[in-house]
Amino acid sequence: MIEGKRILVVEDEFIVAAMLCDVLEDAGAVPHGPVGRINEAMEAIASGGIDAVVLDWNLAGEPSLPIAATLAERGIPFVIATGYGSVEAPFDDRPILGKPYVSGHLLEKLGAFFPD
């Protein structure tokens, strides 16, 4: 259950990010962002107060590896969003959210981080 959870949305396509934020709000979560660049994501993470992250794996042509590494280091759970179906190690064991997004899959993967 993600109600009340603060979810950072890292997505470089504004329309897609806005849709993700709407889905999260409708589920009772508190979306943060969206942010669309690696430096913006790193600043948001450094600010703290984030329970989980939806992480687009490709931000403006750059892989999100530094963001994923920082999240893993801090123990912040994240779902990797990608249209490629998989990502490289060491993050190939993380939950993958395929693009185009399916709202139910997003909520299911995030909800798994917060069992009742």
Side-chain angles (χ1 to χ4, degrees):
M1 182 157 186
I2 65 168
E3 191 169 332
K5 299 297 182 191
R6 297 158 303 200
I7 312 293
L8 176 63
V9 175
V10 181
E11 169 62 62
D12 61 348
E13 294 183 42
F14 182 77
I15 299 295
V16 174
M19 182 273 302
L20 286 171
C21 288
D22 286 346
V23 168
L24 293 170
E25 269 184 3
D26 289 348
V30 181
H32 284 263
V35 296
R37 300 285 180 261
I38 290 174
N39 64 326
E40 294 171 341
M42 299 298 265
E43 288 172 15
I45 294 163
S47 295
I50 295 168
D51 295 309
V53 177
V54 178
L55 178 61
D56 184 357
W57 197 243
N58 183 337
L59 295 175
E62 292 186 59
S64 297
L65 285 167
I67 302 168
T70 298
L71 293 170
E73 206 173 84
R74 292 177 178 240
I76 300 170
F78 59 99
V79 173
I80 296 172
T82 181
Y84 301 110
S86 64
V87 297
E88 59 272 10
F91 301 107
D92 53 345
D93 64 341
R94 300 290 171 150
I96 300 286
L97 180 65
K99 286 184 170 185
Y101 296 109
V102 175
S103 300
H105 293 165
L106 169 66
L107 299 176
E108 177 183 301
K109 290 181 186 296
L110 287 172
F113 296 140
F114 310 106
D116 291 338

